[in-house]
Amino acid sequence: MSTALAPARTDERLTGVPGEPLDHRRYRRMRFIRRFEETLLQLFEEGALNGTTHACIGQEADAVAVTEHLTEGDHIFSNHRCHGHYLAHSGDALGLMAEIMGKEAGVCRGLGGSQHICAPGFKSNGVQGGIVPNAAGIALANQLSGNDAVSVVFIGDGTLGEGVVYETLNMASLWKLPLLVVCEDNRWAQSTPIAANMAGSFPGRFSAFGVPVRSVDSTDVAEISQAAGQEIAAVRAGEGPRVLLIHTYRLCHHSKSDDERPEQEIAERWLVEPLVVHGRRLSDSDRLRIDDEVETALGEVVATARALP
Amino acid sequence: MSTALAPARTDERLTGVPGEPLDHRRYRRMRFIRRFEETLLQLFEEGALNGTTHACIGQEADAVAVTEHLTEGDHIFSNHRCHGHYLAHSGDALGLMAEIMGKEAGVCRGLGGSQHICAPGFKSNGVQGGIVPNAAGIALANQLSGNDAVSVVFIGDGTLGEGVVYETLNMASLWKLPLLVVCEDNRWAQSTPIAANMAGSFPGRFSAFGVPVRSVDSTDVAEISQAAGQEIAAVRAGEGPRVLLIHTYRLCHHSKSDDERPEQEIAERWLVEPLVVHGRRLSDSDRLRIDDEVETALGEVVATARALP
Amino acid sequence: MIFAKELGDTLRGALTDDQRVVLLGEDIADPYGGAFKVTRGLSTAFPARVRTTPISEGAIAGVSAGLALAGYRPIAEVMFGDFLTLMFDQVVNHITKYQTMYADQATCPVIIRAATGGHRGYGPTHSQSLEKHFLGVPHLRVVAASLYHDPRVVFADFLRRDEPVLYVEHKLLYPQHLTLPVNGMVGDLIATSSGMLPTVRLSAVPREDCTVSVLAYGYQAHLAAKIVERLAIEEEIFAELIVPAQIAPMDWAPVLSSVTATRSLVTVEEGAGGWSWGAEAASVVSRELFGTLRRPVDVVASEPTIIPSSKAKESAVLVGSAQIEAAIRRAS
Amino acid sequence: MIFAKELGDTLRGALTDDQRVVLLGEDIADPYGGAFKVTRGLSTAFPARVRTTPISEGAIAGVSAGLALAGYRPIAEVMFGDFLTLMFDQVVNHITKYQTMYADQATCPVIIRAATGGHRGYGPTHSQSLEKHFLGVPHLRVVAASLYHDPRVVFADFLRRDEPVLYVEHKLLYPQHLTLPVNGMVGDLIATSSGMLPTVRLSAVPREDCTVSVLAYGYQAHLAAKIVERLAIEEEIFAELIVPAQIAPMDWAPVLSSVTATRSLVTVEEGAGGWSWGAEAASVVSRELFGTLRRPVDVVASEPTIIPSSKAKESAVLVGSAQIEAAIRRAS
Ligand SMILES: Cc1ncc(C[n+]2csc(CCOP(=O)(O)OP(=O)(O)O)c2C)c(N)n1
Ligand SMILES: Cc1ncc(C[n+]2csc(CCOP(=O)(O)OP(=O)(O)O)c2C)c(N)n1
Ligand SMILES: [Mg+2]
Ligand SMILES: [Mg+2]
């Protein structure tokens, strides 16, 4: 069905240099997402961008970890906070930047914008919850086709408010669909703390439907990746749907400038954010070098994107 | 808000004779519902009725048991299979019969018909699931008013397919609403066995939202009543929403003539249906007397209803 | 040639010929075969691709969307069209958006079949014709079953094209015989068809001799045809009945050419009046044929209220033969 | 007199005066006070009756219905009107049915407030004006916020009556100043109001001197007013702008009396074209004033497609000042 508009444009300085150690690669890829988002927020402040955006600052490890285990034929459905997922999947910084700038060279020709992205193996939509059955349908297609592809859907903690999520968990479980739900619990939904949004048991929300849940309370890309790898392998092996529940934190505001969370809480989380946690595994000089490479590459992307018609 | 069209018309021979033992009363009330439903099905076969109906034959104990603990100010929201609930609540056989006959004297003037009933303290609607938040809203009203009234909603096992049920469980739990969900698990939803409809854990569907579940696998009105009494008392005491999960069986077809379930399965359930189970507590002569009284009273209801304009 | 059976055979043919076709819906599996028995036998023949679902209309639509995005051809059954409300978000914000908002990098050809309509005493929540609320959803086709349209032709069109479609099947059509045009005739009426998903025109006499055009779909078209036939025979009142399959977006050309001849139009639908199907027809025809009409377009629709359960009260609310006949008389 | 602030004050007044009023919605609690800040301060003042909810639009509507059935006056906020889709079942099959199907033994006066509309680059799922799909839902009133209607008057009407209502608030109205008629004027335009929930008419000159009537609501009415004013001053093109608060069911009388004078009508809305608000207007006006119009009714609506995120593409799709001006010129 899908016919790509153009091959995704990637840059090794952003997505990983052949032969570099895994730790470097992971750091680079997270740094790439982080700096993309920060750049975007800056462009918004400059007034260079239209509309709105939801940055995933603080959650970069999730995207990088999960996509490490995906392969050609797998599919990601993402939500409003989709940039990290998309960049980890495709590396296509220019396509996404151009999209958010509303340019014709954008990955959806400027039609979709920040929340509505499509590229081979990837889609997102900005309506909470509804993408979950969509991802399950893709999983059903894979099951019917008899391939071993995995359909992954990213949702937030707040999205567990939407009933269609449960309808889908039930159906996916009944039909043993090859679906992985990645629930990024960043403790907040827009302005609402999880305590005001969710009663009962977080993992119980899934296990009640016979869907196994793997919880990871971590911002460490290595730890998340290990869990993601096992879950994806199980789904790929035909064991039915599974949930990877990642307890993480969003360090930036929800969308553009709305943040009323306790400063202390945010400050504490900056101490354990993915780049800090994983960055320790690299030498200072390697980190600085990679930071630099990412900066240069991203600078080129922004310049190119700005110059686009 | 509610302004009754007319006071509910009751007949002691159907709803309970003052001073009679509880066992007699319960038998009478269940017998009343049973015979009302059977009469209705017969009238349909005769072609005397229009539309469709969902009889609750086999599930009479649930309605009788739950309503024993409700009082003025409490509210019942029921579903497509609402006759038993309504009759146990109001005793208004004539109003319901006239309603299903489409007569002006019907409890909703013939506008609602079998599935859409309203009377003081009682409402029903024929759309699966949507009544659950409606009942929760009534519970919220009671909470805001500071009274100790209980809002009860009856749903079937299959209705756990609807997402809005979970949305509501979450909200009711967060807000500690005085809501009792009575889930009548009759093993089938229309033609679909529970195994094809529900993955995972039945009580887990509720407890995942922090809503305590009391399961009763019984058709014994006494046993169900005991459980219902405790659950309703807890809700009334302000402990938040609770679920009474009754595993029962529907002995008749789903609506009018559609039944493809295994005959053997149905036959086995006839051996443990509520009237048989509870009837053992009465002498043969008491049973026959009550049967007779119910028959006479119902006969009068039908004759009166038929003669209505 | 019972419609429900022909429709079932059509679905069987689609499942046989096209491995991409998947049926989803509540209680559609054997031995039950759906509330209106349309899918009877199909789950036995195609167990993997004919799936009874839990009672989850939102997820049925949403899973169908995913299947379609992945290249399958899902056909979702809605037991009662009244419950299309629970699919509204998937239809409006997912299914019909994907192709365009993704700059044509994906398609989402979901087919939703819904049993609609009243006159059976099912009451307020099981009798509605809610399709009017889906008219004008961008990128959604709404198509109505009728006795003049071969479901094979209709579904061949659905499966050939990449757009999502809502197909409404009035319950009262299920037990009826299809009356497809044969040799240019349907019974005693002259029948003309035009278009890929044809608009059928029926009249007792050539268009030039008709004094009113009647635009109707679904079960109401069947009622209207009987009236058109009877008025012609008994009273020499000649109307041309126009029965589109696709009711949105509309190909107005056949309507305009008919009304150009008759200079009078009545539209008929069972849905509630007010912002209904016929309103758009009236708007378009009044504009396109401005100054040439003999009388205003008459939009016949049901009372804008709940559909009562009682037979007498239901008849007073829903459009039936009496209202159609009166309107044709007025307008002829 | 910023609209968002006035609306917030109106809600505060309602909460103060009427113990039955309860506000529900996503992120409406302090310190956030809602995505558009309308409810800021209210949860602090009325913690029990102003409740932030989980992200559960269906249950928000459904719980509101229960509150209303129990005698309360729930006001539910929908963060983006695009998500009204998820309330559709509650609106169509529950809220608007109860009173009538229960033979007036209950009422269900739910008020739903939805932030609608585009022109902000929010893209396909956060920019829509979906109210057209709610027009003609039996027993539902649809009312549109405008700068010419005092929200206090509007909510007083809602709370006085027992019917459910959908109140659409175009996002671009929030930061604007209300421009209520003062001494029969709005700026340089003559203003006349009629009705309980008034229909406001604005024109530079008396109606007799106007050559076109313009029917618009919400943000589009604000755009249209500026054009009406400018065309009058700069080019002596005189139009009468009619701005209803209640857009369904419509009181057509003020429209008909205006068009009787001008014999020309343009309708304007931001929703997608096709079976839109204006279609019913065209249908009614073409019928009621048959033979007296100078030209067909012109229905101006947005392109029937997704609303793009890119500014340039969004402007090409959504109705804005350019389309309104062109239509008024054509029709005058
Ligand atoms: C159906 C729907 N309702 C409301 C919104 C508005 N909204 C956008 S993001 C958001 C919060 C989502 O929270 P969560 O799922 O925790 O994801 P996070 O933003 O924290 O990543 C809300 C309410 C929406 N996009 N869709
Ligand atoms: C939203 C909705 N979807 C589908 C139906 C059609 N329907 C009526 S009853 C029923 C089965 C309900 O099963 P369950 O909840 O187990 O209740 P039971 O009939 O067994 O009492 C279905 C699917 C409906 N009424 N509402
Ligand atoms: Mg979150
Ligand atoms: Mg059941």
Side-chain angles (χ1 to χ4, degrees):
Chain A
M1 281 299 93
S2 297
T3 52
L5 288 180
R9 291 140 291 192
T10 58
D11 181 323
E12 290 177 351
R13 291 171 296 173
L14 298 173
T15 59
V17 176
E20 74 180 329
L22 180 58
D23 280 347
H24 289 203
R25 179 180 152 87
R26 284 175 168 165
Y27 179 81
R28 182 188 300 277
R29 291 165 69 81
M30 293 195 297
R31 179 80 190 173
F32 161 35
I33 296 171
R34 168 75 51 88
R35 291 296 301 137
F36 183 95
E37 296 288 57
E38 288 174 347
T39 306
L40 213 54
L41 293 176
Q42 205 181 310
L43 289 168
F44 262 106
E45 266 175 33
E46 276 177 31
L49 298 180
N50 184 31
T52 191
T53 192
H54 305 83
C56 67
I57 294 169
Q59 305 180 208
E60 298 88 348
D62 310 344
V64 168
V66 169
T67 53
E68 279 181 355
H69 306 280
L70 299 180
T71 172
E72 184 87 34
D74 292 338
H75 191 280
I76 294 174
F77 233 117
S78 177
N79 58 8
H80 58 291
R81 203 174 300 288
C82 64
H83 302 170
H85 310 144
Y86 179 64
L87 296 175
H89 167 74
S90 71
D92 178 21
L94 182 60
L96 181 57
M97 185 61 79
E99 181 65 29
I100 298 169
M101 287 181 168
K103 309 243 171 167
E104 194 62 32
V107 64
C108 288
R109 293 198 175 121
L111 295 167
S114 164
Q115 305 186 66
H116 314 96
I117 296 296
C118 178
F122 189 96
K123 293 179 185 66
S124 70
N125 197 357
V127 185
Q128 309 286 310
I131 58 171
V132 181
N134 296 171
I138 292 175
L140 175 55
N142 290 331
Q143 185 186 67
L144 289 171
S145 304
N147 64 36
D148 71 347
V150 172
S151 175
V152 177
V153 60
F154 284 92
I155 59 172
D157 49 295
T159 302
L160 293 187
E162 293 290 357
V164 76
V165 173
Y166 304 97
E167 297 187 359
T168 308
L169 287 169
N170 187 38
M171 227 181 262
S173 182
L174 282 169
W175 298 351
K176 288 195 164 306
L177 299 183
L179 175 71
L180 180 72
V181 178
V182 181
C183 183
E184 295 185 273
D185 165 28
N186 60 13
R187 315 309 294 165
W188 291 83
Q190 200 142 338
S191 76
T192 306
I194 191 160
N197 254 343
M198 188 168 339
S201 148
F202 207 145
R205 298 298 182 92
F206 307 105
S207 55
F209 296 85
V211 181
V213 191
R214 168 77 162 264
S215 298
V216 191
D217 191 346
S218 176
T219 51
D220 180 356
V221 64
E223 189 179 345
I224 301 169
S225 176
Q226 199 197 19
Q230 289 167 359
E231 297 308 305
I232 290 170
V235 171
R236 206 182 292 290
E239 293 179 20
R242 302 179 85 86
V243 173
L244 177 63
L245 172 55
I246 308 174
H247 301 292
T248 179
Y249 198 75
R250 152 170 67 80
L251 292 167
C252 53
H253 31 61
H254 168 69
S255 48
K256 277 187 307 186
S257 58
D258 41 352
D259 201 349
E260 316 257 12
R261 296 173 302 169
E263 278 177 33
Q264 172 69 9
E265 176 181 309
I266 301 173
E268 279 166 19
R269 293 293 192 141
W270 271 107
L271 302 178
V272 291
E273 57 94 356
L275 287 172
V276 166
V277 169
H278 183 70
R280 293 198 197 102
R281 297 192 177 108
L282 276 68
S283 69
D284 285 356
S285 63
D286 280 337
R287 261 200 333 269
L288 288 174
R289 175 180 49 78
I290 294 174
D291 288 357
D292 238 38
E293 289 170 12
V294 166
E295 215 56 29
T296 311
L298 260 185
E300 292 168 21
V301 165
V302 173
T304 309
R306 279 192 201 262
L308 285 168
Chain B
M1 282 298 93
S2 296
T3 51
L5 288 181
R9 290 142 291 192
T10 58
D11 182 322
E12 290 177 353
R13 291 170 297 173
L14 299 173
T15 59
V17 175
E20 75 181 327
L22 180 58
D23 280 347
H24 288 204
R25 180 180 153 87
R26 283 175 170 164
Y27 180 81
R28 182 188 301 278
R29 290 166 69 81
M30 294 197 295
R31 179 79 190 176
F32 162 35
I33 297 172
R34 169 74 50 86
R35 291 297 299 139
F36 183 95
E37 296 289 56
E38 287 175 347
T39 306
L40 213 55
L41 293 175
Q42 204 180 312
L43 288 168
F44 262 106
E45 266 175 36
E46 276 177 32
L49 297 179
N50 184 32
T52 190
T53 193
H54 305 82
C56 67
I57 295 171
Q59 305 179 207
E60 297 88 349
D62 311 344
V64 168
V66 169
T67 52
E68 280 181 354
H69 307 279
L70 299 180
T71 171
E72 184 86 34
D74 293 336
H75 192 281
I76 294 175
F77 232 119
S78 176
N79 59 7
H80 58 291
R81 205 173 298 287
C82 63
H83 302 172
H85 311 143
Y86 179 64
L87 296 176
H89 166 72
S90 72
D92 178 21
L94 182 60
L96 181 57
M97 184 61 78
E99 181 64 31
I100 298 171
M101 287 182 168
K103 310 243 172 168
E104 195 61 32
V107 64
C108 289
R109 292 198 174 121
L111 294 167
S114 164
Q115 306 187 64
H116 313 97
I117 295 298
C118 178
F122 189 96
K123 294 179 185 64
S124 70
N125 196 357
V127 185
Q128 308 286 310
I131 58 171
V132 181
N134 296 171
I138 292 174
L140 176 54
N142 290 331
Q143 186 185 68
L144 289 171
S145 304
N147 64 36
D148 71 347
V150 171
S151 174
V152 177
V153 59
F154 284 91
I155 59 173
D157 49 294
T159 301
L160 293 186
E162 294 290 357
V164 77
V165 174
Y166 304 98
E167 297 187 359
T168 307
L169 288 169
N170 188 38
M171 228 180 260
S173 182
L174 282 168
W175 298 351
K176 288 197 165 303
L177 299 183
L179 175 72
L180 179 73
V181 177
V182 181
C183 183
E184 295 185 273
D185 165 28
N186 59 14
R187 316 309 294 165
W188 292 83
Q190 199 143 340
S191 76
T192 306
I194 192 160
N197 254 344
M198 188 170 337
S201 147
F202 206 143
R205 297 299 182 92
F206 307 105
S207 55
F209 296 85
V211 181
V213 191
R214 167 79 162 264
S215 299
V216 191
D217 192 346
S218 177
T219 49
D220 181 356
V221 63
E223 188 179 345
I224 301 169
S225 176
Q226 197 196 21
Q230 289 167 1
E231 296 308 304
I232 290 170
V235 171
R236 206 181 293 289
E239 293 179 20
R242 303 178 86 85
V243 173
L244 177 64
L245 172 55
I246 308 173
H247 301 292
T248 179
Y249 198 74
R250 151 171 67 80
L251 292 168
C252 54
H253 30 61
H254 167 70
S255 49
K256 277 187 308 184
S257 58
D258 41 351
D259 200 348
E260 316 257 12
R261 296 173 302 169
E263 278 177 34
Q264 173 70 10
E265 176 181 310
I266 302 173
E268 280 166 17
R269 293 292 192 141
W270 272 107
L271 303 178
V272 291
E273 56 94 357
L275 288 173
V276 165
V277 168
H278 182 69
R280 290 198 199 102
R281 298 193 178 107
L282 277 68
S283 69
D284 284 357
S285 64
D286 280 336
R287 262 202 330 271
L288 287 176
R289 176 181 48 80
I290 295 174
D291 288 357
D292 238 36
E293 288 169 11
V294 166
E295 215 56 28
T296 310
L298 260 184
E300 291 168 20
V301 165
V302 173
T304 310
R306 280 193 201 259
L308 285 168
Chain C
M1 291 276 282
I2 298 297
F3 172 63
K5 170 114 191 15
E6 296 301 308
L7 180 56
D9 286 355
T10 300
L11 297 175
R12 181 182 289 274
L15 284 158
T16 306
D17 297 345
D18 189 340
Q19 293 296 317
R20 303 173 307 167
V21 171
V22 180
L23 268 53
L24 300 170
E26 294 161 14
D27 298 291
I28 67 170
D30 293 329
Y32 195 72
F36 297 95
K37 309 304 169 208
V38 171
T39 57
R40 202 168 244 185
L42 301 183
S43 73
T44 303
F46 306 94
R49 289 191 287 132
V50 178
R51 299 197 173 218
T52 272
T53 66
I55 310 175
S56 312
E57 288 80 7
I60 293 170
V63 166
S64 297
L67 278 168
L69 287 169
Y72 278 77
R73 294 295 179 153
I75 303 178
E77 175 173 306
V78 184
M79 190 187 286
F80 288 87
D82 309 72
F83 313 140
L84 281 168
T85 51
L86 289 160
M87 296 186 163
F88 200 60
D89 179 64
Q90 280 293 330
V91 170
V92 171
N93 284 330
H94 297 78
I95 293 169
T96 56
K97 291 237 181 327
Y98 282 135
Q99 176 167 358
T100 312
M101 87 179 180
Y102 288 161
D104 289 319
Q105 296 174 94
T107 59
C108 196
V110 174
I111 300 168
I112 298 176
R113 297 177 40 237
T116 61
H119 295 290
R120 283 188 63 165
Y122 286 174
T125 63
H126 287 65
S127 307
Q128 298 168 90
S129 298
L130 294 179
E131 57 269 23
K132 80 169 186 182
H133 300 292
F134 291 78
L135 305 173
V137 171
H139 307 294
L140 179 68
R141 292 205 289 159
V142 183
V143 175
S146 91
L147 301 180
Y148 314 107
H149 292 93
D150 187 339
R152 286 174 189 77
V153 173
V154 170
F155 275 78
D157 173 86
F158 293 172
L159 294 171
R160 190 169 48 236
R161 294 169 61 172
D162 282 335
E163 294 123 334
V165 51
L166 169 61
Y167 182 62
V168 290
E169 305 164 6
H170 195 294
K171 296 177 194 82
L172 292 188
L173 293 176
Y174 290 132
Q176 304 276 342
H177 282 274
L178 281 186
T179 49
L180 305 180
V182 177
N183 297 328
M185 299 295 288
V186 165
D188 289 334
L189 297 175
I190 307 167
T192 334
S193 297
S194 59
M196 292 293 287
L197 206 55
T199 293
V200 175
R201 299 189 315 263
L202 300 174
S203 58
V205 297
R207 164 183 288 173
E208 297 68 52
D209 300 320
C210 293
T211 54
V212 56
S213 303
V214 180
L215 178 63
Y217 67 86
Y219 176 65
Q220 297 290 329
H222 166 64
L223 294 183
K226 290 196 289 190
I227 295 162
V228 165
E229 190 160 353
R230 182 160 48 76
L231 288 179
I233 294 170
E234 294 178 3
E235 311 192 29
E236 299 199 354
I237 295 175
F238 299 122
E240 181 173 62
L241 173 64
I242 309 157
V243 187
Q246 182 166 318
I247 63 170
M250 271 287 284
D251 173 11
W252 296 110
V255 181
L256 295 173
S257 61
S258 178
V259 183
T260 299
T262 63
R263 298 169 50 224
S264 175
L265 175 65
V266 172
T267 72
V268 183
E269 66 201 293
E270 193 176 302
W275 289 275
S276 74
W277 182 60
E280 179 78 12
S283 167
V284 169
V285 169
S286 297
R287 180 182 72 229
E288 298 297 320
L289 301 180
F290 186 74
T292 71
L293 298 175
R294 276 190 291 112
R295 59 191 306 285
V297 175
D298 194 355
V299 176
V300 177
S302 294
E303 295 298 320
T305 187
I306 62 113
I307 301 172
S309 177
S310 121
K311 199 165 200 142
K313 290 185 174 172
E314 183 183 36
S315 300
V317 164
L318 293 183
V319 170
S321 297
Q323 291 91 326
I324 302 173
E325 178 171 341
I328 296 177
R329 284 181 184 281
R330 276 197 306 271
S332 68
Chain D
M1 291 278 282
I2 299 296
F3 172 63
K5 170 115 191 9
E6 296 301 308
L7 180 56
D9 285 355
T10 300
L11 297 176
R12 181 183 290 272
L15 283 159
T16 307
D17 298 345
D18 189 340
Q19 294 295 317
R20 303 172 307 167
V21 172
V22 180
L23 268 54
L24 299 170
E26 294 161 14
D27 298 290
I28 65 170
D30 293 330
Y32 195 72
F36 298 94
K37 308 304 169 208
V38 172
T39 57
R40 203 167 241 183
L42 301 184
S43 72
T44 303
F46 305 93
R49 288 190 288 133
V50 178
R51 300 198 172 217
T52 272
T53 65
I55 310 175
S56 312
E57 288 79 6
I60 293 170
V63 167
S64 298
L67 279 168
L69 287 170
Y72 278 77
R73 294 294 180 153
I75 303 178
E77 175 173 306
V78 184
M79 189 187 287
F80 289 87
D82 309 73
F83 313 140
L84 281 169
T85 51
L86 289 159
M87 296 185 164
F88 199 59
D89 178 63
Q90 280 293 331
V91 171
V92 171
N93 284 329
H94 297 78
I95 293 169
T96 57
K97 290 237 183 325
Y98 282 136
Q99 177 168 357
T100 312
M101 87 179 179
Y102 288 160
D104 289 319
Q105 296 176 94
T107 59
C108 196
V110 174
I111 300 168
I112 298 176
R113 298 177 39 237
T116 60
H119 295 288
R120 284 186 65 163
Y122 286 173
T125 62
H126 288 64
S127 307
Q128 299 168 88
S129 299
L130 294 180
E131 57 270 21
K132 79 170 186 180
H133 300 293
F134 291 78
L135 305 173
V137 171
H139 307 294
L140 179 68
R141 293 205 289 160
V142 184
V143 175
S146 92
L147 301 180
Y148 314 108
H149 291 93
D150 187 339
R152 286 173 190 77
V153 173
V154 170
F155 275 79
D157 173 86
F158 293 173
L159 293 171
R160 192 168 46 235
R161 294 168 60 171
D162 282 334
E163 294 122 334
V165 51
L166 170 61
Y167 182 62
V168 290
E169 305 164 6
H170 195 294
K171 296 178 194 81
L172 292 187
L173 293 176
Y174 290 132
Q176 305 276 341
H177 283 274
L178 279 187
T179 49
L180 305 181
V182 178
N183 296 330
M185 300 295 289
V186 166
D188 290 333
L189 296 175
I190 308 166
T192 334
S193 295
S194 60
M196 290 295 287
L197 206 55
T199 294
V200 175
R201 299 190 315 263
L202 300 174
S203 57
V205 297
R207 165 184 286 172
E208 297 68 52
D209 300 320
C210 294
T211 55
V212 56
S213 303
V214 180
L215 177 63
Y217 68 86
Y219 177 65
Q220 298 289 330
H222 167 64
L223 294 183
K226 290 196 289 191
I227 294 161
V228 165
E229 189 160 355
R230 183 161 47 76
L231 288 179
I233 295 169
E234 294 179 3
E235 311 192 29
E236 300 198 353
I237 295 176
F238 299 122
E240 182 173 61
L241 173 63
I242 309 156
V243 187
Q246 181 167 320
I247 63 171
M250 272 287 283
D251 172 10
W252 296 110
V255 181
L256 295 173
S257 62
S258 178
V259 183
T260 298
T262 63
R263 298 170 51 223
S264 175
L265 175 65
V266 172
T267 72
V268 183
E269 67 201 295
E270 193 177 302
W275 289 274
S276 73
W277 182 61
E280 179 77 12
S283 167
V284 170
V285 169
S286 298
R287 180 183 73 229
E288 297 297 321
L289 301 179
F290 186 74
T292 71
L293 299 175
R294 275 190 292 111
R295 59 191 307 284
V297 176
D298 195 354
V299 176
V300 177
S302 294
E303 295 297 321
T305 186
I306 62 114
I307 301 173
S309 177
S310 124
K311 200 166 200 140
K313 290 185 175 171
E314 184 184 34
S315 300
V317 164
L318 293 183
V319 170
S321 298
Q323 292 91 327
I324 302 173
E325 178 170 340
I328 296 177
R329 284 181 185 283
R330 275 196 308 273
S332 68

